[in-house]
Amino acid sequence: MFLHRPVFLAVVMMAIAQPAGNAQPVGDARPRGEKPALIPLPQSLEWTSGSFSLDRCKSIVINDPRLREEAARWLKMTGSDIPVKYSATGIPSIHARKPVIRLTIGEVNAPMGQNEAYRLIVTSREVALTANTPHGISNGLQTLYQLMVRENRAPGCDITDYPAYRWRGYMVDVGRNYHSVSQLKQQIDVMAKYKLNVFHFHLTENVAWRLQVKKYPELTSAASMTRNKGKFYTIEEVKELIRYCRDRHIMLVPEIDMPGHSEAFARAMGTDMQSEEGLSIVKEILEEVCATYDLPYIHIGADEVAVRNEDFLPEVTGVIRSHEKQVIAWAPGGNYDDGVIRHLWKDEGAEEVKNPLVRYIDSRYLYLSDMDPQTTVVTIFQRQLGGKLQSDSSLLGAEICLWDDRKVTRESDHLTMNAAYPAIVTFGERSWRGGGYEGVNYYIGPDSSARARDFAAFEERLIAHKRKYFTHLPFPYVRQSDIHWKLFGPFSNDGNLDAAFWPEESGSVIADSIADIRATGATVWLWQSYAPQVNAWLSGPAENTTWYASGRFWSDADTTISLWAEFKNLSRSGADATPPEGEWDYKRSRLWLNGTLISPPEWKFPGRPPGLLEEPMVDEGYYYRPPATVRV
């Protein structure tokens, strides 16, 4: 495998025909270990002897009536019909000598996250799950579900677990692109499985206002929307989503963006938010929202706008606080007081949180629309969220964000094109476990590094979860810690895209040459547009230079494989030009396999100019178009 002039390259191979005796395909073929793959990995885990059989279990005993619902949801997940019995002491009386599951509200000591902590002990005779709250019991039951991997048996273990960060969030922008309630619930279910606890509901945008307001029905009129016209969430639907989240111990945080991102408001109401009339309407909207929904936080956005009315944000903040709710806003943003929780979206916002009185949430470089699936998993796994190993008095936690400025063809495209589920699973690991590595990294790192070894171990568990839990959901991720490249360069080309260098000369044996850089991964970012804040394989990329990449893999017999390949990952948060006809990209990058030039795809919309946000992407990304078929 030989690539010319990559700035970003993605080459992922999967066997589609494999005669007997062939080598395993590159990708998901590595066998799993004997023990269950747990995500997030508990803070303390000791494997013990024996195993507990769910099929032999005679009852679930609870010592608190609130746990009846927790047990019912878990039984539904497992497909079991074990009777749930209440005992104030938590001690089973009827089946004292029979296998039993005990769910107990008791005392679990943890250095942080006491309200979510749990202790889980599995023996051949019983499962003993203890927590300080029903939320902790729910967390423990999610872990127990993952332990039941073979024949409804859980291996013996002793787990003490708690979260490193208090705020572990996932944001969905439904203002630009509407998601059905059923698709939102699907995402919430996945959040719950991986112990995320905040669903950030971005409801209003320039494109559309999607939150029903009884006093101002014109806000959700089709005439005021420019995309998904007439699609919005009724009061009852929002209440249902709040209940759905709360049942899974997830807090819904609605965002009503103000005074920026408010063109839909202006179209509907005929006035700017920052006008005297506009501010009056906004305050009435907030009064209705705060009175209608039992929620502790309201997110007001307040980013990417020139605040002309200095009274705007203090007044809307006052309305929200009068209902005993807390205010969150993007930073950098408007003129906030110290009590407003900052939500970081750019490095500039970090200046505001140097004030020890200010609390904050981190979403810097956590926009899923700016990553390809393989890098999404790498960069989230390696992140040190908020630049800290765990929450403290200032840092609440972090959120990953699903922004799609660009229109999509199908609502499920959001989940595929942004690799939402691989991201949620990986973020569940990092935000629960804490730790991570300094900086923002778009590369796995040298194989000898601790972070590369940690990533390879996590990837084993991730692939196991993909196979077991995501067979019917979009999960565009494949194993990559065993894919290796030699990078050669830089070669100065003086801006000549036709320039060629020694790796292309006849007789060159690039595979046996000494590499300038050895890289690992299915996708290799040489640099990223947010450099130098974001680290990639090149520490100092130079303009007008050519790089080559060479990789090798082996098959024991001739066969046909599917090939994913591309040289530039197009962000969904924006509208880049599509590749020109007959080319991989505008840099004339090239790809050879066993010396044979591989042609780029026949693009459906070649050479489409930038800026066309209303034109959905269809085949521009390697992971949402049919792969090339090649012989090896």
Side-chain angles (χ1 to χ4, degrees), residues 31-76:
R32 294 171 291 175
E34 289 301 313
K35 298 300 183 184
L38 301 181
I39 300 178
L41 192 65
Q43 302 289 357
S44 173
L45 167 62
E46 178 185 354
W47 297 112
T48 58
S49 61
S51 63
F52 181 87
S53 171
L54 185 64
D55 295 336
R56 296 180 60 237
C57 181
K58 298 303 180 182
S59 64
I60 296 178
V61 179
I62 60 174
N63 76 333
D64 188 307
R66 294 174 297 172
L67 301 184
R68 196 172 295 278
E69 292 183 7
E70 305 297 340
R73 275 192 295 274
W74 187 80
L75 288 170
K76 184 176 181 181

Side-chain angles (χ1 to χ4, degrees), residues 385-441:
L385 301 173
K388 300 180 180 181
L389 299 175
Q390 59 194 35
S391 286
D392 58 20
S393 59
S394 298
L395 174 63
L396 298 178
E399 282 185 17
I400 52 174
C401 301
L402 182 65
W403 301 101
D404 265 316
D405 288 82
R406 197 160 187 158
K407 182 180 180 181
V408 297
T409 303
R410 300 169 298 274
E411 67 170 358
S412 61
D413 287 347
H414 294 294
L415 307 179
T416 301
M417 292 183 176
N418 296 288
Y421 292 144
I424 289 174
V425 176
T426 307
F427 185 72
E429 169 83 4
R430 180 52 64 218
S431 62
W432 182 272
R433 287 279 297 173
Y437 295 86
E438 292 183 357
V440 182
N441 300 305

Side-chain angles (χ1 to χ4, degrees), residues 315-355:
E315 290 202 28
V316 300
T317 298
V319 170
I320 295 169
R321 288 174 177 161
S322 72
H323 289 266
E324 299 184 341
K325 299 179 189 295
Q326 298 189 59
V327 180
I328 308 171
W330 293 105
N335 54 320
Y336 311 132
D337 61 38
D338 291 348
V340 173
I341 298 169
R342 309 305 203 270
H343 193 166
L344 304 187
W345 66 282
K346 288 177 69 175
D347 284 334
E348 290 84 343
E351 289 299 313
E352 300 180 35
V353 300
K354 289 181 179 178
N355 180 346

Side-chain angles (χ1 to χ4, degrees), residues 353-373:
V353 300
K354 289 181 179 178
N355 180 346
L357 299 176
V358 172
R359 294 171 296 159
Y360 67 99
I361 302 156
D362 193 17
S363 284
R364 293 169 296 174
Y365 311 109
L366 290 172
Y367 287 11
L368 306 186
S369 53
D370 292 338
M371 314 170 194
D372 75 281

Side-chain angles (χ1 to χ4, degrees), residues 90 118 141 379 443 535 544:
Y118 66 92
L141 287 173
T379 191
Y443 68 122
N535 304 310
N544 298 327

Side-chain angles (χ1 to χ4, degrees), residues 129-146:
L129 174 58
T130 306
N132 302 308
T133 67
H135 192 171
I137 293 291
S138 177
N139 289 332
L141 287 173
Q142 292 291 354
T143 301
L144 180 60
Y145 178 72
Q146 292 183 20

Side-chain angles (χ1 to χ4, degrees), residues 91-110:
I91 300 173
S93 56
I94 300 176
H95 299 288
R97 297 184 179 181
K98 303 289 186 179
V100 67
I101 296 174
R102 290 192 290 114
L103 308 182
T104 305
I105 297 294
E107 184 177 347
V108 176
N109 293 319

Side-chain angles (χ1 to χ4, degrees), residues 284-301:
E284 290 178 328
I285 291 169
L286 288 173
E287 290 282 0
E288 180 177 319
V289 168
C290 290
T292 302
Y293 304 112
D294 179 19
L295 296 167
Y297 298 89
I298 301 291
H299 201 305
I300 62 171

